[in-house]
Amino acid sequence: MTKRVLIVSNSFDLHADLVTPYLNDYHAEPFRIDLDCFPRDYQIVQLFWHGKLISSITHLPSGQCLNLDEVGAIWLRKPADYAFISNDLAPQELAYAKLETEHALFGLLYPLDCYWMSHPIQLRGAMWKAEQLHRATKFGFNVPRSLVTNCAQQVRVFKQQVPGEIIFKPLSSSSLAADAVAESERIAEGIPTTIIDDAMMNNLEAVNELPCHFQEYVDKQYELRVTVIAGETFAAKIHSQDDVRTAVDSRDISANIIYEATQLPADIAQRCREFVSSYGLNFSALDLIVTPQDEYVFLENNPNGQFLYVEQLIPEFQLVKAVAATLAAEAQCRS
C-alpha cells in the first residue's frame, strides 16, 4: 500500500503550501489538517472494535478522506487556535472544547507508527532555551554567559560581572505573545534582541514581575542559520554586521544584508547534527555566531523554525524540496 504524508499546520502556512506540490510530484498524496479550521471543517472517527483500531479523517469542504493506516509520515508544522461550528461558545464551553479537541486530535495521531518531522513530544522537549544552552555545552559549543531571573538585583550583579554589554531577549516569544491575542488586544508587536543601556539599568524593577532572560553581548564577525533536515546541514552565512539595523538582531527584514551559502567546519557541522539528533528531531534550525576571532558560539535552537526566507535568499539550498523529498521517501519506506 502506498503511504501518504499528513501535514498538520494552519491555513496561512506558506511553507506547507510550497511543499505540497513537491509531495504530489513524489506521489506522496498529502493530506492537510489546518488547525484554524479544525474540527469545524473536518470529521474524525476513531473506533476500537474487537481489538482493532480504525481511524479516519475527512475534510468536509472537499470530501477528501484519509484512513490513518495510510499515513507513512507526518509533518507537524505550526499551531493555530481551533475553530468550532458555534462561534458564540461561553468561556467555559470554549475552554472545554479546546481541551477535548486537543485530546481527540493527538489521540488520533500518537498511535501512528510512522515518520515524524517532528514528533510533538520531541518538539516540546527541545523548545526550552535555558536547557538548550546547557545541552549545547555538552556538545562542545561555546555559549554566552546567561541569566534567567525575576530578581532585579541579580541583573545588576550579572552586569557588573560581564566585561562588556549585556542584552535582553525573550525566552518564548519575540512577538511578546502578540500572535496569541486578538489584534484589538495587542499593546506591542514584539521586541528584538536589545542591548541594556544605563537608562534600562536604572529601571530594572519590572524584572521582579516575571523571569527575564539576559546574556552577555558577543561581538560578531557574522551569524549563521544552520538548518538541519534529516541529518543534512544547510548553513547560511548572514552578513549582519554590514548594516546597523541588523548588528544586534539580524531579523530586521528592512535591511538588505547578504545571505550566502557557506561550508561549516566538519566538527561544527557534526556538532549541529548530533545536537539536533539528541532531541529525536528530524528537522531544526540553529542560530550561531562567528566571532572576530573565528570562534563559533551557540545562541539557540529552533525545533520548528522558519526556513522559507533562507531559501528565498539562497535558492540553491532548495530547502522546500529537501523537506518534501525526505517526507515522501520516509513515507514510502513504511509501505
Side-chain angles (χ1 to χ4, degrees), residues 50 62-63 102 124 183 187 201-202 238 270 334:
H50 296 308
S62 67
E102 185 165 24
R124 183 164 178 80
E183 189 169 348
I187 58 175
M201 288 299 299
N202 291 330
I238 307 170
Q270 181 67 14
R334 286 152 177 80

Side-chain angles (χ1 to χ4, degrees), residues 118-193:
S118 294
H119 196 283
I121 291 177
Q122 274 72 48
L123 285 171
R124 183 164 178 80
M127 67 183 288
W128 314 108
K129 295 295 191 290
E131 189 279 335
Q132 292 176 12
L133 294 174
H134 178 66
R135 184 178 298 229
T137 62
K138 293 184 175 182
F139 281 88
F141 283 108
N142 294 321
V143 302
R145 284 169 279 202
S146 304
L147 172 69
V148 178
T149 186
N150 62 341
C151 175
Q153 181 55 28
Q154 286 293 327
V155 181
R156 296 185 185 98
V157 173
F158 182 69
K159 170 65 174 171
Q160 291 173 352
Q161 292 176 337
V162 170
E165 305 280 5
I166 66 171
I167 58 172
F168 167 82
K169 56 192 297 189
L171 288 167
S172 60
S173 169
S174 60
S175 71
L176 299 181
D179 52 353
V181 299
E183 189 169 348
S184 61
E185 298 173 327
R186 296 175 185 172
I187 58 175
E189 292 298 325
I191 185 171
T193 300

Side-chain angles (χ1 to χ4, degrees), residues 8 22 112 114 236 279 304:
V8 182
Y22 284 110
L112 299 182
C114 66
Y279 286 110
N304 213 352

Side-chain angles (χ1 to χ4, degrees), residues 61-320:
S62 67
Q64 186 182 11
C65 182
L66 175 71
N67 293 319
L68 272 296
D69 60 3
E70 299 174 2
V71 175
I74 298 177
W75 187 26
L76 196 61
R77 256 292 295 170
K78 288 296 180 181
D81 285 336
Y82 300 125
F84 303 98
I85 293 174
S86 299
N87 57 17
D88 58 351
L89 296 174
Q92 185 174 350
E93 292 175 322
L94 181 59
Y96 176 68
K98 290 179 178 179
L99 289 173
E100 288 294 285
T101 297
E102 185 165 24
H103 269 263
L105 175 62
F106 288 102
L108 194 74
L109 300 182
Y110 271 33
L112 299 182
D113 182 17
C114 66
Y115 178 87
W116 286 80
M117 186 182 281
S118 294
H119 196 283
I121 291 177
Q122 274 72 48
L123 285 171
R124 183 164 178 80
M127 67 183 288
W128 314 108
K129 295 295 191 290
E131 189 279 335
Q132 292 176 12
L133 294 174
H134 178 66
R135 184 178 298 229
T137 62
K138 293 184 175 182
F139 281 88
F141 283 108
N142 294 321
V143 302
R145 284 169 279 202
S146 304
L147 172 69
V148 178
T149 186
N150 62 341
C151 175
Q153 181 55 28
Q154 286 293 327
V155 181
R156 296 185 185 98
V157 173
F158 182 69
K159 170 65 174 171
Q160 291 173 352
Q161 292 176 337
V162 170
E165 305 280 5
I166 66 171
I167 58 172
F168 167 82
K169 56 192 297 189
L171 288 167
S172 60
S173 169
S174 60
S175 71
L176 299 181
D179 52 353
V181 299
E183 189 169 348
S184 61
E185 298 173 327
R186 296 175 185 172
I187 58 175
E189 292 298 325
I191 185 171
T193 300
T194 303
I195 292 179
I196 303 300
D197 58 23
D198 291 341
M200 295 174 187
M201 288 299 299
N202 291 330
N203 290 277
L204 279 177
E205 297 312 310
V207 171
N208 298 333
E209 184 75 28
L210 79 164
C212 297
H213 181 208
F214 301 90
Q215 280 187 337
E216 66 173 320
Y217 177 72
V218 178
D219 289 331
K220 307 167 188 176
Q221 180 183 164
Y222 57 88
E223 297 180 50
L224 291 165
R225 177 76 166 195
V226 182
T227 305
V228 180
I229 302 173
E232 186 175 1
T233 57
F234 301 84
K237 182 178 181 180
I238 307 170
H239 292 255
S240 59
Q241 304 309 290
D242 290 353
D243 193 299
V244 66
R245 290 169 291 181
T246 53
V248 176
D249 191 326
S250 65
R251 292 172 294 183
D252 188 337
I253 60 173
S254 68
N256 187 25
I257 57 174
I258 295 172
Y259 280 61
E260 63 178 337
T262 190
Q263 192 75 29
L264 294 174
D267 61 325
I268 299 297
Q270 181 67 14
R271 205 173 292 171
C272 290
R273 290 191 293 267
E274 291 178 350
F275 178 87
V276 171
S277 178
S278 73
Y279 286 110
L281 299 172
N282 292 310
F283 173 94
S284 206
L286 291 79
D287 293 323
L288 308 177
I289 285 173
V290 177
T291 70
Q293 294 75 38
D294 291 324
E295 296 175 334
Y296 288 76
V297 178
F298 175 94
L299 290 183
E300 64 181 48
N301 177 48
N302 305 276
N304 213 352
Q306 304 291 70
F307 61 88
L308 183 56
Y309 77 99
V310 176
E311 171 151 331
Q312 290 170 335
L313 294 164
I314 311 177
E316 63 263 36
F317 274 174
Q318 295 190 301
L319 300 177
V320 171

Side-chain angles (χ1 to χ4, degrees), residues 5-23:
V5 173
L6 173 60
I7 301 172
V8 182
S9 192
N10 54 60
S11 60
F12 41 90
D13 181 11
L14 184 57
H15 290 68
D17 294 344
L18 295 176
V19 165
T20 295
Y22 284 110
L23 291 174

Side-chain angles (χ1 to χ4, degrees), residues 47-66:
L47 175 66
F48 294 92
W49 193 260
H50 296 308
K52 282 193 66 177
L53 174 61
I54 303 169
S55 302
S56 67
I57 181 167
T58 301
H59 182 237
L60 297 174
S62 67
Q64 186 182 11
C65 182
L66 175 71

